[in-house]
């Protein structure tokens, strides 16, 4: 086995492809229990990075280990192809060429998006394969394949038919810069400086006598939403105070005699903010007594002449503001829901371009945000109008967390728009999804609580986007009444056309193709919005798992980064529960994110970015794979050059273990094999350890948790094998007669070790395990990956022997330590010159009975002494009761085995070697003749 992974791995990949390893695996596992890890599709718009590398390697390790446990772990990788990032790239090209997107026919634009995605699929496929990821790379899935698009259309049809799909007017997170509604997963929160104002609402109809002539004070950080105000929310559990202003400070907008209604607990803060010097509390009013109070809009008499009712809301903030929340049902989720419950109108105030629409008094044409994402003139105009009306109590600025577009990084607004929604309630989707979570296994278990919390509180699913690159919302709406057409025949025609021609068919066909003969196209409007890409990827189970007989529905496992609780896990759960009544997965596994070595997020500016392509080129994919299995992926993972070097060292130790086995198994044949009961205890101890390791391995594979197992496996190879068992048995392997029982036992155990370790390491270091396996099992169609994990006889387990060896290994540590001291002081050259005299308690005498101590210590002589140890004997603090004195072995050094023995020189035919060596040489000569 030669080093040089970066060169040898591609040769191995070519060999697997030539022998069709993946096809052979499928053939070999036909009829077995299926283990189907359904691939969460990466987005096809760039090279893979370390996070996608981690994800795919982890999937591969799990697939390979399940396969070797005896299952059929067929893996079909896939790609997510539609959506804004690709559309954005193509638009950028147009802009660079001075072209306008809207002048390009939509089908041509979509074709360019398709080619862009297809190109990146090919690049990513090559990059994933290079990492050793085994899968159906010849038949992957993609969300832009016509059959996938057709099934997505059918899935949407199921929601249309069961009544969950509806067209609503609802505030959505809207990006003015991109001109579209955004999904939750497309929103990022950054600090933003907003104008915060306190505004007075005069009480018109008091529900409590103390409110007569008073003004309710609200607080908002979005002054531009004031024209959309239609109500005020209060907390039923809160206590409010009616305050009379006695004296206002200089520059204050308050006047002596003003009566203000505020949350009692925030009274002082608001008065300080508004520059109110002296005040008196004239009454306190419990929140429940506010029910029924009607205010006037602060711009009453200027076009805002409608009642503003006070309504109870459970979201009222009692820490900041005034304890009253101004409700603009078109500009917030809480606002909308509260308004809907109380029959409050939802006005349309802001257009898709961020400008107030023509029907808005005073502010028509003012901009909330400009097309470049900067603040427009709406806030200032609203502030001025409020001040002019005497309604502004105070204003200031506030830095707070505010939603931004993940793509353009521009601030977003909540805007009332006509959109398509999947209801969480109409068909009981929320309850179905929550029940499905209870039936799902989560690794780690905390994921369940997380996803549950999101499903419990999420609003209806907004699935429409005003974009071009995606699967269209294939719905016709009646011009008369606005009801969507629910007809399975029409749906079938649409799906058939999409299956044949792709989703372009929706844009290129005459509506009569789908509507005739039953309906007159003139009676319907065709929807041109496209679907939320999360709906598409949430539906992958329906066009990947269900139709392929070589897979299974539901999937055994979904495995992605923990951010997918918001994304793919979430949308897959809702999509499948809405159409099939259960989750499309039996289990969910999440992993953390990859950080730089410094624990910081990777970024070019920090210079801590590690690219998987570089790791593969410099160290080999097996070293990157070792990093994955050696890391606790439940947490965030770190990677950097020092961490990689550490894993390269670990890799070298594993490789050396395999090399030792190969080197010492040359010429091994079945005739040499011994049964365990014919073996020395040392060999039987190794067999016992193998049974224990096998148990750990199976437990780890079932739990999908590898870093503990990997640590154990590495310790087994480096400490128990290399530094103990191999170290002791080198003498026997190199010097014993070929037919000596001890040597035959050792070689039998090395053969078993080779069998076990090549199989156990195969899912981890797939290239190196294969290389080792082929060295002893050559052949065109031979592969370690076609094997199962070996089944070890339970009769190898010997707990009493294991306990005894634990005692002996402690004893050995003290002896080895004592010899090291002698060697360091140059009193001896090799341990074979030493004769340790061991003083130890009865448990050590008991454990050593029948054991060849010279073999265990790798010395030429040894003795267990009785009585008290001399004061200067060597001791180890963590092995109490053991003391060792190193004496010199008597005799001459055997020139062949280097043992120092009195018998050396006694045989005249072999004057320079010991009896064992003389015998071995004679035997060898006789065998050669
Ligand atoms: Zn010898």
């Amino acid at each position: 086995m030669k080093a040089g992974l970066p060169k040898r791995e591609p040769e191995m990949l070519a060999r697997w492809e030539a022998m069709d390893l993946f096809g052979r695996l499928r053939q070999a596992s036909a009829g077995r229990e299926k283990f189907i890890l359904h691939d969460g599709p990466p987005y096809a718009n760039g090279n893979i990075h370390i996070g996608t590398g981690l994800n795919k390697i982890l999937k591969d390790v799990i697939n390979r280990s399940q396969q070797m446990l005896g299952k059929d772990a067929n893996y079909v990788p896939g790609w997510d192809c539609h959506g804004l990032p690709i559309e954005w790239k193509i638009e950028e090209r147009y802009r660079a060429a001075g072209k306008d997107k809207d002048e390009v026919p939509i089908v041509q634009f979509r074709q360019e998006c398709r080619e862009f995605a297809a190109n990146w699929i090919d690049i990513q496929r090559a990059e994933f394969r290079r990492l050793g990821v085994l899968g159906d790379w010849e038949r992957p899935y993609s969300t832009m394949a016509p059959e996938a698009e057709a099934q997505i259309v059918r899935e949407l049809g199921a929601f249309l038919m069961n009544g969950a799909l509806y067209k609503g007017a609802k505030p959505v997170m809207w990006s003015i810069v991109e001109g579209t509604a955004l999904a939750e997963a497309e929103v990022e929160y950054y600090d933003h400086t907003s104008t915060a104002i306190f505004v007075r609402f005069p009480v018109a109809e008091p529900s409590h006598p103390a409110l007569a002539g008073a003004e309710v004070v609200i607080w908002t950080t979005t002054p531009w939403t004031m024209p959309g105000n239609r109500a005020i929310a209060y907390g039923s559990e809160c206590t409010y105070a009616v305050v009379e202003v006695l004296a206002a400070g200089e520059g204050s907008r308050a006047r002596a005699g003003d009566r203000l209604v505020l949350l009692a607990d925030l009274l002082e803060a608001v008065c300080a903010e508004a520059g109110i010097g002296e005040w008196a509390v004239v009454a306190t009013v419990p929140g429940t007594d506010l029910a029924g109070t009607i205010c006037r809009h602060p711009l009453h008499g200027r076009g805002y002449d409608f009642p503003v009712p006070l309504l109870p809301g459970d979201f009222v903030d009692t820490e900041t503001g005034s304890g009253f929340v101004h409700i603009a049902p078109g500009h917030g989720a809480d606002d909308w829901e509260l308004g809907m419950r109380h029959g409050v109108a939802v006005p349309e105030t802001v257009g898709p371009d961020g400008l107030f629409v023509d029907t808005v008094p005073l502010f028509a044409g003012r901009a909330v945000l400009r097309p470049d994402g900067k603040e427009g003139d709406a806030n200032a105009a609203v502030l001025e109008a409020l001040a002019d009306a005497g309604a502004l109590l105070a204003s200031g600025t506030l830095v707070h967390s505010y939603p931004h577009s993940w793509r353009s990084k521009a601030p977003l607004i909540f805007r009332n728009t006509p959109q398509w929604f999947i209801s969480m309630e109409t068909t009981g989707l929320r309850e179905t999804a929550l029940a499905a979570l209870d039936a799902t296994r989560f690794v780690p278990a905390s994921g369940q609580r997380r996803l549950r919390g999101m499903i419990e509180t999420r609003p209806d699913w907004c699935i429409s986007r005003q974009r071009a690159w995606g699967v269209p919302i294939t719905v016709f709406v009646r011009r008369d009444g606005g009801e969507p057409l629910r007809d399975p025949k029409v749906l079938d025609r649409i799906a058939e056309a999409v299956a044949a021609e792709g989703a372009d068919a929706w844009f290129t066909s005459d509506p009569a193709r789908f509507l005739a003969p039953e309906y007159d196209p003139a009676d319907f409007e065709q929807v041109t919005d496209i679907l939320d890409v999360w709906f598409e990827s949430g539906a992958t189970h329906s066009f990947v798992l269900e139709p392929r007989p070589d897979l299974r529905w539901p999937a055994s496992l979904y495995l992605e980064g923990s951010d997918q609780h918001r994304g793919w896990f979430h949308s897959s759960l809702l999509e499948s529960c809405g159409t099939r009544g259960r989750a499309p997965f039996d289990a969910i596994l999440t992993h953390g994110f990859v950080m730089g070595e410094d624990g910081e997020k990777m970024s070019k500016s920090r210079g801590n970015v590690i690219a998987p392509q570089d790791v593969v080129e410099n160290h080999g994919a097996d070293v990157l794979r070792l990093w994955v299995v050696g890391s606790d992926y439940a947490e965030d993972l770190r990677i950097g050059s020092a961490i990689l070097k550490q894993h390269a060292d670990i890799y070298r130790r594993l490789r050396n273990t395999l090399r030792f086995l190969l080197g010492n198994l040359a010429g091994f044949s079945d005739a040499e094999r011994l049964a365990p009961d014919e073996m020395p205890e040392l060999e039987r101890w190794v067999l016992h350890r193998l049974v224990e390791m096998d148990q750990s391995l199976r437990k780890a594979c079932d739990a999908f948790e590898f870093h503990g197992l990997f640590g154990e496996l590495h310790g087994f190879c480096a400490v128990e094998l290399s530094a103990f068992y191999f170290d002791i048995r080198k003498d026997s392997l190199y010097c014993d007669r070929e037919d000596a029982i001890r040597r035959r036992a050792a070689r039998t155990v090395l053969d078993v070790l080779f069998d076990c370790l090549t199989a156990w390491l195969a899912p981890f270091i797939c290239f190196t395990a294969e290389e080792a396996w082929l060295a002893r099992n050559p052949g065109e169609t031979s592969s370690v990956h076609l094997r199962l994990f070996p089944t070890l006889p339970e009769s190898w387990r010997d707990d009493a022997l294991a306990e005894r060896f634990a005692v002996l290994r402690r004893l050995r540590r003290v002896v080895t330590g004592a010899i090291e001291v002698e060697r360091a002081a140059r009193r001896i050259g090799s341990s074979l010159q030493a004769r340790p005299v061991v003083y130890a308690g009865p448990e050590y005498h008991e454990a050593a009975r029948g054991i060849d101590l010279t073999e265990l210590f790798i010395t030429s002589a040894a003795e267990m002494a009785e009585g008290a140890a001399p004061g200067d004997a060597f001791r180890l603090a963590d092995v109490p009761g053991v003391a060792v004195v190193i004496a010199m072995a008597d005799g001459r050094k055997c020139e062949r085995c280097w043992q120092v023995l009195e018998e050396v020189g006694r045989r005249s035919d072999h004057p320079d070697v010991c009896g064992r060596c003389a015998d071995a040489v004679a035997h060898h000569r006789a065998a050669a003749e």
Side-chain angles (χ1 to χ4, degrees):
M1 287 178 77
K2 284 175 282 176
L5 280 177
K7 186 177 166 291
R8 273 177 302 107
E9 287 174 346
E11 295 166 7
M12 200 70 80
L13 285 168
R15 183 177 173 276
W16 287 334
E17 205 168 324
M19 69 179 276
D20 186 20
L21 175 62
F22 187 76
R24 280 174 194 278
L25 276 167
R26 298 286 67 76
Q27 265 172 12
S29 46
R32 287 194 208 154
E33 183 193 339
K34 285 193 166 94
F35 175 86
I36 302 302
L37 193 168
H38 179 40
D39 193 29
Y43 199 61
N45 73 331
N47 292 99
I48 67 165
H49 54 78
I50 197 79
T52 31
L54 157 76
N55 177 270
K56 275 289 197 288
I57 289 175
L58 193 51
K59 285 172 177 168
D60 189 56
V61 168
I62 288 176
N63 278 327
R64 287 178 187 269
S65 60
Q66 291 291 324
Q67 179 74 30
M68 292 183 82
L69 280 173
K71 293 182 188 162
D72 177 13
N74 190 0
Y75 174 61
V76 179
W79 278 275
D80 196 3
C81 304
H82 291 134
L84 195 53
I86 288 177
E87 194 166 339
W88 199 272
K89 281 275 177 208
I90 305 303
E91 280 183 34
E92 267 174 7
R93 276 190 206 163
Y94 285 171
R95 273 196 292 276
K99 277 195 284 181
D100 182 357
K101 177 202 165 193
D102 294 336
E103 288 164 13
V104 179
I106 186 168
V107 172
Q108 185 193 324
F109 179 78
R110 287 169 57 90
Q111 180 59 24
E112 288 183 50
C113 293
R114 193 172 296 117
E115 284 163 10
F116 181 90
N119 179 48
W120 281 111
I121 287 180
D122 286 343
I123 292 169
Q124 290 191 0
R125 173 174 20 211
E127 289 175 330
F128 286 138
R129 294 183 91 157
R130 179 61 189 83
L131 298 178
V133 179
L134 199 57
D136 201 348
W137 296 110
E138 302 307 320
R139 287 196 307 158
Y141 77 84
S142 97
T143 55
M144 66 176 183
E147 61 271 24
E149 293 180 331
Q151 185 58 31
I152 292 166
V153 163
R154 286 186 204 104
E155 296 296 307
L156 179 71
F159 283 102
L160 174 69
M161 292 307 294
N162 71 22
L165 182 73
Y166 72 95
K167 187 178 186 178
K170 195 171 181 180
V172 291
M173 288 277 202
W174 182 269
S175 167
I176 288 163
V177 172
E178 288 130 313
T180 184
L182 293 186
E184 268 297 303
E186 296 166 342
V187 176
E188 291 177 354
Y189 288 81
Y190 304 114
D191 278 353
H192 182 80
T193 306
S194 294
T195 305
I197 53 171
F198 289 93
V199 183
R200 317 153 181 255
F201 280 67
V203 175
E205 296 171 30
S207 60
H208 187 283
L211 299 177
E215 293 168 311
V216 168
V217 177
I218 66 97
W219 179 73
T220 179
T221 56
T222 47
W224 62 267
T225 58
M226 292 305 295
N229 173 278
R230 291 298 182 272
I232 295 169
Y234 61 86
S236 297
E237 312 291 310
C238 302
T239 303
Y240 290 86
V242 181
V243 180
E244 180 164 335
V245 177
L246 300 177
E250 202 176 326
S252 171
R253 295 175 181 277
R255 297 166 296 261
D258 283 351
R259 286 196 164 202
L260 306 174
V261 191
L262 299 161
L263 186 75
D265 289 346
L266 289 168
L267 174 59
E268 299 217 15
V270 177
C271 286
E273 190 79 20
I276 298 169
E278 284 176 56
W279 71 86
V281 175
V282 267
T284 55
V285 182
T288 46
D289 284 5
L290 297 178
T293 294
I294 307 286
C295 289
R296 281 200 300 268
H297 194 278
L299 298 175
H300 185 87
R302 292 168 164 82
Y304 294 84
D305 305 342
F306 44 79
V308 177
L310 265 63
L311 304 171
D314 52 11
F315 47 82
V316 172
D317 184 1
T318 56
E319 306 284 321
T320 45
S322 64
F324 287 107
V325 178
H326 114 83
I327 297 297
H331 300 305
D334 288 337
D335 306 51
W336 185 79
E337 274 164 35
L338 189 71
M340 289 298 278
R341 264 205 301 281
H342 294 88
V344 175
V346 185
E348 199 199 333
T349 52
V350 179
D353 50 4
L355 304 181
F356 277 110
V357 297
D358 290 347
T359 51
V360 176
L362 303 180
F363 309 112
R366 300 278 191 180
V368 175
L369 290 171
R370 297 203 315 245
D372 61 2
K374 298 276 190 312
E375 188 173 329
D377 55 358
N379 269 344
V382 169
L383 235 68
E384 199 187 320
L386 289 172
D388 197 40
L392 191 62
L393 181 63
S395 73
T397 56
L398 180 82
V399 178
H400 62 151
S401 178
Y402 190 84
H404 290 71
S405 163
W406 67 282
R407 188 68 187 79
S408 67
K409 313 291 179 199
L412 304 174
I413 61 167
F414 262 109
R415 181 181 159 259
N416 200 28
T417 55
Q419 298 288 349
W420 290 90
F421 294 88
I422 289 176
S423 166
M424 292 298 294
E425 319 300 342
T426 322
T427 57
L429 180 52
R430 195 185 309 276
E431 276 61 45
T432 310
L434 289 173
L437 288 183
D438 290 341
T440 300
R441 174 186 171 198
F442 281 79
V443 182
S446 57
Q448 186 161 29
R449 219 171 34 247
R450 202 169 158 193
L451 191 45
R452 193 180 177 82
M454 292 176 184
I455 298 291
E456 274 171 347
T457 56
R458 67 153 297 139
D460 288 352
W461 184 1
C462 177
I463 57 158
S464 47
R465 298 288 183 274
Q466 289 68 50
R467 304 299 305 182
W469 176 228
V471 176
I473 295 190
T474 44
V475 173
F476 289 101
V477 178
R478 285 181 200 279
R479 288 190 193 279
D480 179 16
E483 267 297 292
L485 174 64
R486 296 188 174 88
D487 186 328
K489 281 195 299 296
V490 173
L491 280 174
D492 283 348
R493 282 182 210 135
I494 298 168
E496 266 171 46
V498 172
E501 300 156 31
D504 285 357
W506 181 252
F507 300 104
T508 55
S509 303
D510 188 318
R513 177 181 184 184
F514 311 120
L515 291 168
E518 295 88 350
Y519 305 97
D520 179 358
D523 295 342
F524 293 90
E525 202 174 322
Q526 182 176 359
V527 175
T528 55
D529 289 350
I530 62 158
L531 267 169
D532 176 11
V533 284
W534 291 105
F535 184 92
E536 296 187 14
S537 58
T540 54
H541 68 95
S542 73
F543 56 82
V544 181
L545 302 180
E546 264 183 352
R548 282 183 65 155
D550 56 339
L551 302 176
R552 74 173 266 237
W553 191 99
S556 315
L557 184 67
Y558 274 32
L559 184 173
E560 303 300 330
S562 53
D563 56 336
Q564 296 303 324
H565 287 116
R566 276 178 91 195
W568 192 55
F569 299 145
H570 194 122
S571 62
S572 297
L573 176 73
L574 291 185
E575 203 286 327
S576 180
C577 284
T579 52
R580 287 154 182 81
R582 67 149 287 168
F585 39 71
D586 286 338
I588 278 183
L589 186 151
T590 49
H591 58 76
F593 295 97
V594 185
M595 300 292 171
E597 206 152 43
D598 48 7
E600 298 289 335
K601 206 174 159 188
M602 282 189 190
S603 72
K604 273 189 189 140
S605 59
R606 290 192 74 90
N608 61 353
V609 176
I610 296 284
Q613 296 83 355
D614 293 342
V615 180
V616 166
E617 204 174 302
N618 297 328
H619 297 274
D622 267 355
V623 172
L624 190 65
R625 294 175 68 98
L626 270 193
W627 166 75
V628 170
V629 292
S631 304
D632 180 3
Y633 58 75
E635 308 288 330
D636 285 345
L637 300 81
R638 292 184 185 195
I639 194 167
S641 54
I643 290 172
L644 280 168
K645 192 184 166 297
Q646 212 178 309
H647 283 85
D649 288 344
I650 292 171
Y651 171 78
R652 206 164 300 120
R653 279 195 284 277
L654 294 175
R655 184 179 186 81
N656 284 342
T657 305
L658 294 172
R659 283 182 61 165
F660 181 90
L661 293 173
L662 283 172
N664 287 284
L665 279 166
F668 180 77
S669 72
D670 278 339
E672 219 175 314
R673 208 179 287 278
L674 280 182
D677 57 5
E678 300 169 283
M679 292 180 182
E681 285 175 312
L682 182 61
E683 270 67 29
R684 284 194 272 128
W685 172 79
V686 176
L687 296 181
H688 167 85
R689 285 292 295 126
L690 283 175
V691 174
E692 285 185 332
M693 289 295 310
D694 177 63
Q695 200 178 25
S696 295
L697 172 93
R698 286 168 198 276
K699 232 169 91 183
C701 291
D702 283 342
F704 311 125
E705 268 178 24
F706 299 101
H707 74 282
L709 169 72
F710 172 70
E712 216 178 311
L713 207 49
H714 173 236
F716 180 64
C717 288
V719 181
E720 291 177 294
L721 293 182
S722 291
F724 181 66
Y725 178 65
F726 293 168
D727 207 22
I728 291 170
R729 277 294 179 254
K730 273 177 197 160
D731 170 76
S732 168
L733 289 165
Y734 301 159
C735 303
D736 276 353
R737 247 174 81 148
E738 275 170 16
D739 59 350
I741 292 293
R742 187 167 67 171
R743 188 168 182 276
R744 283 177 59 192
R747 298 241 295 173
T748 304
V749 164
L750 293 189
D751 182 61
V752 175
L753 278 169
F754 180 84
D755 236 37
C756 289
L757 287 178
T758 47
W760 294 349
L761 290 170
F764 298 172
I765 41 176
C766 58
F767 295 101
T768 305
E770 180 79 322
E771 186 189 355
W773 178 254
L774 292 178
R776 289 187 76 207
N777 302 274
E780 218 168 288
T781 59
S782 171
S783 173
V784 72
H785 301 296
L786 289 165
R787 296 173 58 205
L788 300 184
F789 289 136
T791 309
L792 305 184
E794 188 56 28
S795 60
W796 288 0
R797 181 182 289 282
D798 188 340
D799 292 321
L801 183 71
E803 264 173 55
R804 208 168 133 215
F805 264 83
V807 176
L808 289 173
R809 288 181 65 201
R810 274 206 301 281
L811 191 65
R812 183 176 191 264
R813 271 207 300 125
V814 189
V815 173
T816 311
I819 290 172
E820 270 314 304
V821 171
E822 297 303 301
R823 277 164 51 108
R826 299 182 182 246
R827 286 192 284 271
I828 58 171
S830 129
S831 71
L832 290 171
Q833 291 170 271
R835 178 172 64 86
V837 182
V838 180
Y839 299 86
E843 57 164 330
Y844 292 99
H845 282 267
E846 180 63 34
R849 186 166 302 149
I851 288 286
D852 182 346
L853 289 178
T854 61
E855 186 183 279
L856 184 71
F857 300 152
I858 317 183
T859 57
S860 296
E863 67 180 84
M864 295 293 286
E866 300 289 342
D872 60 349
F874 181 85
R875 291 173 169 87
L876 283 180
D878 61 333
V879 188
V882 178
V884 175
V885 175
I886 300 296
M888 297 299 285
D890 296 324
R892 272 178 56 199
K893 176 176 159 189
C894 167
E895 289 306 321
R896 186 164 172 273
C897 72
W898 293 12
Q899 291 199 16
V900 177
L901 300 167
E902 292 189 47
E903 68 191 48
V904 176
R906 284 193 187 151
R907 273 174 69 163
S908 54
D909 54 342
H910 294 285
D912 299 323
V913 298
C914 69
R916 170 181 69 145
C917 289
D919 183 38
V921 170
H923 178 80
H924 189 70
R925 275 192 199 140
E929 280 158 17

